[in-house]
Amino acid sequence: MEPIGGKPSFLRNILVRLFLFCVFVIALRFAYVVTIRGESCDVGDFCFFALPENFSVVSGVGQLTKPSSSAVIMSSGNSAPSTPKKIPDLWTTEGFQKSVQFYSSVFQDLISEAVLSPNFKTLCVDTATGADVFALREIGVEDSIGISKKGFKPLVISGQGFKQPFGDETFDFVFCGGGVVEKSVRPGDFVAEIGRTLKPEGFLVVHTGANDTYSFESLLGLFNFCRLVKSKDIGGLDSEMPFIREIVLQKISGEGSLNRLIEKSSGDSVNKCSVPSYKQDLIKIAEPLIEEEPKKPWITLKKNAQKIKYLPSMVDISFKSRYIYVDVGARSYGSSIVSWFKKQYPKQNKTFEIYAIEADKTFHEQYKSKKGVTLLPYAAWVKNETLFFEINEDPGHKEVEKGRGMGRIQPVQTSDGSTSSGNVDQIQGFDFADWLKNTVSERDYVVMKMDVEGTEFDLIPRLFETGAICLIDELFLECHYNRWQKCCPGERSAKYEKTYGQCLNLFTSLRKSGVLVHQWW
């Protein structure tokens, strides 16, 4: 009889097939990792071994950098955080790898331009995923770290742009990608922290989506402790930011450079300032002035307000330290502050500090409970002195609270002048131009509405004389003249001495001087 060998042969075949199946699975996994993901088997749960303590993670995205510039992210070092035994799943995603590839290209260009060096200590500000930090380490800039509100170790630690957990003059290179500067909720503190932690002569690179000259100049003014090295336009990373302006700045050091900064921030001289050409260009596309005196000014000026081209609708105002609205002649809180500025002015989601300047005591009480509004209960004037005002009603004006409220108050003399007949009130005036220069700076965004019952012919020249006019980004001015009366056809108001022609000359001179002024009512 022949020996029975069917059963062992059957088991042997089963084992061989199982072995071949396992080899097939391993080969398939290897092919997927190498050809599709471009990574070695050191990612996730498919690896069959643990990462040793001294393992060097070679950037798996080999296609992301040139072979000559491939670098190693070390798990140990004096300043670089330790690499975990299990790499975060985020690093394996297509989006992260695409970002790394983009930033690697950006940083390699900066190295070739001598802006960045492998031995630099670098910081990436407000980077959520740390793709830019990954890219820096990949190309050999190993001493790199990122900060973000939530943090994402080992590349990103907890911190924010406006509150960095580092000492003074720590970094040789700071990178602000993804438009983080314009997104900052506290731009002033954001800029101050970069200035604090960046070394003298250190480099700052900013990526922004803003491409207008106004925003560019505003950014340079915001980082006024730096000099402009270069600026260029590059393709964006994704659809959220398809266009990028890359701006390279270098921190100025030395007493001489500091003096130049002070001179630049204070204008051409103590009292004068020059208006840059880019502001002149904005005026060219603003709504035209009304050349002919309107027969019904209360209607014409209100309709004209609908044609106004607001500055924030033409440019990006993100690169400003603070945002301020000054209402000169504010009257009641519900008038221009609420009915116009808060509801209609395009603020680009910025939070504005509001100053209400109103001398009439009738309105002071209602401002006490208003948050975010600072009341100056004085009269805007050309110097600090006591003024005497006369309550003067237009014909047909409805009286409110013994003639006050709806009635406008008009300065008729100074404390050393002659007396005035009629209902006279004594009010403290203050040097408005001097106050403005001590309250705001060129780095702030200042929008102003001025309705001062004829005093504009005194205040505007004073603003020019002191150079304070250059601190105003946008001005809404009501010019008062002997206009036609709404109540009485054919009659002009005797309240004001100026003519419409004089008002038009005032607006024209403001625009010729580079002030974006609008006719208001």
Side-chain angles (χ1 to χ4, degrees):
M1 292 181 62
E2 295 181 3
I4 301 175
K7 191 170 184 179
S9 177
F10 173 78
L11 291 175
R12 186 163 47 252
N13 290 339
I14 291 295
L15 292 175
V16 169
R17 291 180 182 180
L18 182 61
F19 174 79
L20 292 175
F21 177 78
C22 292
V23 171
F24 175 78
V25 170
I26 294 173
L28 183 64
R29 167 62 181 163
F30 179 81
Y32 171 75
V33 169
V34 174
T35 64
I36 304 300
R37 306 177 72 107
E39 300 185 25
S40 59
C41 187
D42 55 8
V43 182
D45 299 324
F46 290 93
C47 297
F48 301 104
F49 56 88
L51 295 176
E53 286 293 321
N54 61 349
F55 185 79
S56 298
V57 183
V58 180
S59 175
V61 273
Q63 72 274 22
L64 300 187
T65 60
K66 300 176 183 178
S68 61
S69 65
S70 296
V72 175
I73 301 177
M74 303 300 296
S75 62
S76 62
N78 296 331
S79 57
S82 299
T83 303
K85 294 183 178 181
K86 180 179 177 181
I87 296 177
D89 293 337
L90 174 65
W91 293 7
T92 70
T93 63
E94 182 179 356
F96 185 86
Q97 294 180 21
K98 182 180 178 182
S99 297
V100 172
Q101 182 178 12
F102 172 79
Y103 288 122
S104 293
S105 176
V106 168
F107 294 140
Q108 287 177 41
D109 288 343
L110 293 173
I111 286 178
S112 68
E113 296 165 358
V115 173
L116 179 62
S117 172
N119 61 353
F120 274 5
K121 189 176 184 67
T122 68
L123 170 68
C124 297
V125 182
D126 287 348
T127 171
T129 65
D132 41 5
V133 184
F134 194 108
L136 281 166
R137 295 188 180 184
E138 181 186 57
I139 64 173
V141 189
E142 297 179 9
D143 197 357
S144 303
I145 194 67
I147 56 172
S148 181
K149 185 176 182 179
K150 293 184 179 179
F152 191 79
K153 293 183 178 180
L155 301 179
V156 183
I157 64 174
S158 180
Q160 292 179 276
F162 55 79
K163 192 176 182 181
Q164 299 179 18
F166 308 110
D168 296 348
E169 300 181 358
T170 300
F171 299 99
D172 304 284
F173 179 89
V174 175
F175 179 67
C176 299
V180 298
V181 178
E182 56 258 50
K183 294 175 184 176
S184 175
V185 296
R186 296 166 59 180
D189 294 336
F190 184 97
V191 170
E193 278 294 85
I194 291 179
R196 182 182 66 82
T197 58
L198 184 62
K199 293 180 180 179
E201 306 297 333
F203 289 95
L204 165 67
V205 175
V206 176
H207 279 187
T208 173
N211 60 358
D212 60 87
T213 306
Y214 181 91
S215 61
F216 177 74
E217 295 293 338
S218 297
L219 183 141
L220 297 183
L222 196 61
F223 292 98
N224 60 357
F225 53 85
C226 293
R227 71 175 183 88
L228 175 65
V229 176
K230 71 181 186 70
S231 172
K232 68 177 181 179
D233 297 336
I234 61 176
L237 175 60
D238 49 38
S239 58
E240 292 185 3
M241 203 170 179
F243 161 88
I244 290 177
R245 172 173 283 186
E246 181 176 271
I247 302 172
V248 180
L249 305 167
Q250 186 176 29
K251 185 176 178 180
I252 300 174
S253 64
E255 185 177 349
S257 298
L258 180 60
N259 290 336
R260 289 197 301 271
L261 284 178
I262 295 174
E263 291 174 4
K264 181 179 178 182
S265 63
S266 61
D268 296 337
S269 65
V270 176
N271 292 328
K272 304 296 181 181
C273 66
S274 59
V275 179
S277 59
Y278 68 89
K279 287 190 175 182
Q280 296 278 4
D281 294 336
L282 289 172
I283 292 173
K284 294 177 183 178
I285 59 177
E287 78 284 352
L289 297 173
I290 302 173
E291 298 287 344
E292 186 177 350
E293 179 184 355
K295 294 297 179 63
K296 296 182 178 180
W298 55 91
I299 296 177
T300 304
L301 290 172
K302 189 172 183 179
K303 286 184 177 180
N304 186 65
Q306 299 173 0
K307 302 177 183 179
I308 285 177
K309 292 185 178 180
Y310 295 103
L311 182 56
S313 67
M314 297 187 285
V315 299
D316 188 347
I317 65 172
S318 298
F319 300 102
K320 291 291 185 178
S321 180
R322 298 157 61 213
Y323 300 88
I324 298 169
Y325 171 56
V326 182
D327 196 327
V328 190
R331 308 303 283 171
S332 68
Y333 174 73
S335 57
S336 53
I337 293 178
V338 173
S339 65
W340 169 65
F341 182 74
K342 287 198 169 186
K343 291 184 177 180
Q344 300 181 40
Y345 189 79
K347 293 177 279 294
Q348 293 186 6
N349 295 321
K350 307 300 181 184
T351 300
F352 278 71
E353 302 172 39
I354 299 177
Y355 290 91
I357 300 175
E358 178 52 56
D360 194 337
K361 295 188 288 290
T362 305
F363 306 105
H364 292 174
E365 185 67 26
Q366 58 187 273
Y367 283 97
K368 291 183 178 179
S369 60
K370 306 305 178 185
K371 294 182 179 179
V373 180
T374 300
L375 172 67
L376 278 69
Y378 313 109
W381 189 233
V382 297
K383 57 183 176 179
N384 299 322
E385 64 176 348
T386 302
L387 298 172
F388 294 91
F389 284 78
E390 182 180 27
I391 307 299
N392 192 358
E393 297 283 353
D394 283 338
H397 236 316
K398 182 178 179 180
E399 293 188 0
V400 177
E401 296 188 24
K402 298 181 180 180
R404 305 182 69 97
M406 291 301 293
R408 299 294 185 170
I409 48 181
Q410 180 181 5
V412 293
Q413 65 174 29
T414 60
S415 57
D416 57 351
S418 59
T419 59
S420 172
S421 60
N423 186 5
V424 176
D425 200 357
Q426 179 176 303
I427 297 175
Q428 180 63 42
F430 73 105
D431 190 334
F432 174 67
D434 185 65
W435 171 85
L436 189 65
K437 293 184 69 174
N438 286 292
T439 303
V440 304
S441 72
E442 290 182 343
R443 300 199 305 169
D444 301 327
Y445 181 81
V446 180
V447 55
M448 181 181 298
K449 188 227 75 181
M450 183 179 290
D451 178 7
V452 288
E453 301 304 310
T455 314
E456 60 268 15
F457 286 97
D458 299 295
L459 293 181
I460 297 297
R462 173 66 175 166
L463 291 173
F464 274 104
E465 176 190 344
T466 60
I469 193 71
C470 294
L471 299 173
I472 304 171
D473 291 88
E474 192 167 21
L475 174 62
F476 298 84
L477 175 63
E478 178 174 351
C479 188
H480 299 80
Y481 63 97
N482 57 346
R483 63 183 66 182
W484 298 107
Q485 290 297 306
K486 184 177 181 180
C487 69
C488 316
E491 293 185 18
R492 289 182 179 272
S493 170
K495 184 176 177 181
Y496 307 107
E497 297 179 354
K498 303 296 183 181
T499 65
Y500 184 80
Q502 290 173 300
C503 279
L504 186 60
N505 290 337
L506 182 62
F507 282 106
T508 302
S509 64
L510 281 165
R511 286 197 171 185
K512 284 183 177 180
S513 301
V515 181
L516 182 58
V517 62
H518 308 283
Q519 289 172 300
W520 206 237
W521 83 98

